[in-house]
Amino acid sequence: MAGTAGATLKLKVGVAGVGRIGKMHVDNILSGGVRGVKVKTVCDLLIESDQEMRAFVTARGPHCKLTTDYRDIINDPEIQAVFIFTSTNMHVEIALAAIAAGKHVFCEKPVDHDIARIEAVQESLRQHPNVYFQVGFNRRIDANFAKVRDVVAGGSVGAPRLVKITSRDPTYSEAYIRSSVLSGGLFPDMTIHDFDMCNYLLSEKPRRPVLVYAVGGSMVSPFFAELGDVSEAVVVIKYDDGTTCTIDNTREAVYGYDQRVEVLCSKGTVESDNVRPTTVRVLTKPATTTDTIPFWFVERYKQAFEDELQFFIEHFKSGKTAEYLRCATVEDMLNAARLSEAASKSLRTGLPVTL
């Protein structure tokens, strides 16, 4: 199917999930932020009982069919692709059904927290080689991080030696944390983005992580410790060529959504700082001030969220591969999940984990 959609045809899709992340994606798609796509059906278990959700969708897509059963999407021969934005526990079930039906899949991260279940998706894709599958690791689509990766890959700064990733949420809700703990806590929920980012920034040549060491605490609130989770952590990853990556996370950075990376190389360093509305600095006798950084991920990665879906559609217009478009595959998801599993084990045992 790749390369046959043409410039004027629209990819017909079904959307599963209109929760926190799904609502944002649905708004981007139905409000015109993503081009070349027609949403035929929207599914959510609550779309009939939740009047606010129903009104949200119908206001933006009055033509959309609404259903509580994702199988209505799978069994519709007109629908060519499925966008999966549900809670994580439903990702694999819907993905496997879509792949078996020959429908292409965009799946929000993580595909699952269980490596065996992700491998089941990988195996299904091997059996259905014509199905295109993309994972929603949106940060690798961000123009700033993509340029860091391209500069490193270009070789002008020499060979990578040290990667530093800072990823800090500004706040949290206890309800969300309780939910995330059921799926493994901080590492598979939050740091999973950073595990993928580290692999992505170092993807200019084949290299393999060989050691993971993690430490953390519950300095933000004892609530985290009571749930068996941590509110802040540092993870060190050692690769087989000697390159080291450090990641620092917290659930509460009161000043905003802090997102920075640096790759130190043999001939220089490449950095991406926080994005701000403007680059203006105001210098006065008592202080120097700048614009504050975005408060949350929706503002910081708005363009990346739109672009990742646009690139999914671009595949069908041009035939370009996920790797060419900077998009994440199920193999990338597996690599990140293995690092998450190792970090969780290291945090529990207090020991480095060899891969």
Side-chain angles (χ1 to χ4, degrees):
M1 179 180 170
T4 64
T8 60
L9 298 180
K10 292 187 175 182
L11 188 72
K12 291 183 180 179
V13 307
V15 171
V18 196
R20 183 178 75 155
I21 199 73
K23 189 174 183 180
M24 180 203 65
H25 281 304
V26 167
D27 188 42
N28 287 340
I29 298 166
L30 295 179
S31 299
V34 181
R35 304 171 304 282
V37 61
K38 179 180 179 180
V39 178
K40 184 176 181 184
T41 304
V42 176
C43 168
D44 194 283
L45 290 174
L46 301 177
I47 206 154
E48 290 182 353
S49 59
D50 188 328
Q51 295 304 312
E52 183 179 346
M53 178 189 293
R54 188 180 187 90
F56 176 86
V57 175
T58 54
R60 291 158 177 78
H63 61 281
C64 295
K65 175 184 175 182
L66 306 182
T67 180
T68 59
D69 190 344
Y70 75 84
R71 287 167 292 195
D72 290 339
I73 293 173
I74 303 300
N75 295 330
D76 188 336
E78 289 189 355
I79 290 178
Q80 301 162 286
V82 183
F83 290 169
I84 304 175
F85 307 138
T86 62
S87 56
T88 301
N89 65 304
M90 288 299 296
H91 286 180
V92 170
E93 180 179 331
I94 299 173
L96 291 175
I99 295 167
K103 299 184 189 300
H104 310 285
V105 178
F106 178 94
C107 184
E108 255 299 344
K109 73 84 196 169
V111 173
D112 200 86
H113 300 302
D114 188 309
I115 288 177
R117 286 171 60 80
I118 303 171
E119 289 174 336
V121 174
Q122 184 183 51
E123 179 57 31
S124 183
L125 288 168
R126 289 195 188 103
Q127 296 172 14
H128 299 83
N130 292 326
V131 170
Y132 179 73
F133 191 99
Q134 184 178 316
V135 180
F137 278 127
N138 64 296
R139 295 182 191 179
R140 57 168 58 208
I141 309 298
D142 178 75
N144 301 285
F145 297 156
K147 183 168 183 179
V148 172
R149 189 269 173 193
D150 287 350
V151 171
V152 172
S156 62
V157 289
R161 292 176 175 172
L162 180 66
V163 179
K164 293 174 64 178
I165 298 175
T166 293
S167 180
R168 303 170 183 168
D169 283 358
T171 189
Y172 65 95
S173 73
E174 290 193 358
Y176 182 81
I177 298 302
R178 289 184 189 279
S179 173
S180 74
V181 166
L182 295 176
S183 301
L186 182 78
F187 295 144
D189 175 62
M190 180 179 173
T191 322
I192 196 76
H193 273 294
D194 307 308
F195 293 136
D196 178 67
M197 179 55 59
C198 194
N199 288 335
Y200 174 63
L201 293 173
L202 294 173
S203 60
E204 91 288 356
K205 75 169 193 177
R207 51 169 58 83
R208 184 176 61 85
V210 294
L211 184 141
V212 177
Y213 180 55
V215 294
S218 53
M219 300 290 288
V220 170
S221 169
F223 164 75
F224 290 89
E226 291 166 5
L227 293 177
D229 198 11
V230 292
S231 56
E232 58 281 329
V234 174
V235 181
V236 178
I237 304 168
K238 192 77 171 180
Y239 288 81
D240 58 359
D241 67 341
T243 309
T244 302
C245 176
T246 61
I247 300 167
D248 81 79
N249 294 148
T250 183
R251 290 290 194 182
E252 185 182 68
V254 297
Y255 54 89
Y257 189 56
D258 194 351
Q259 301 284 288
R260 291 171 282 149
V261 304
E262 178 186 8
V263 183
L264 174 67
C265 301
S266 58
K267 296 181 181 179
T269 194
V270 192
E271 298 178 342
S272 175
D273 205 345
N274 282 305
V275 173
R276 301 174 191 270
T278 73
T279 60
V280 173
R281 290 188 300 160
V282 179
L283 289 79
T284 62
K285 186 175 182 180
T288 297
T289 61
T290 64
D291 291 345
T292 57
I293 63 177
F295 185 72
W296 205 226
F297 69 92
V298 176
E299 301 100 293
R300 170 60 181 86
Y301 290 117
K302 176 176 172 52
Q303 191 61 53
F305 278 120
E306 293 180 359
D307 287 348
E308 65 179 352
L309 293 180
Q310 198 63 62
F311 291 169
F312 180 90
I313 296 160
E314 178 65 20
H315 166 76
F316 299 99
K317 291 185 175 183
S318 66
K320 293 175 181 175
T321 64
E323 291 82 1
Y324 180 87
L325 294 168
R326 308 180 189 280
C327 303
T329 65
V330 71
E331 182 65 29
D332 295 317
M333 179 69 245
L334 272 169
N335 291 336
R338 290 177 180 125
L339 290 174
S340 174
E341 184 177 75
S344 297
K345 181 178 180 181
S346 176
L347 185 67
R348 287 194 311 270
T349 63
L351 300 171
V353 174
T354 302
L355 301 176

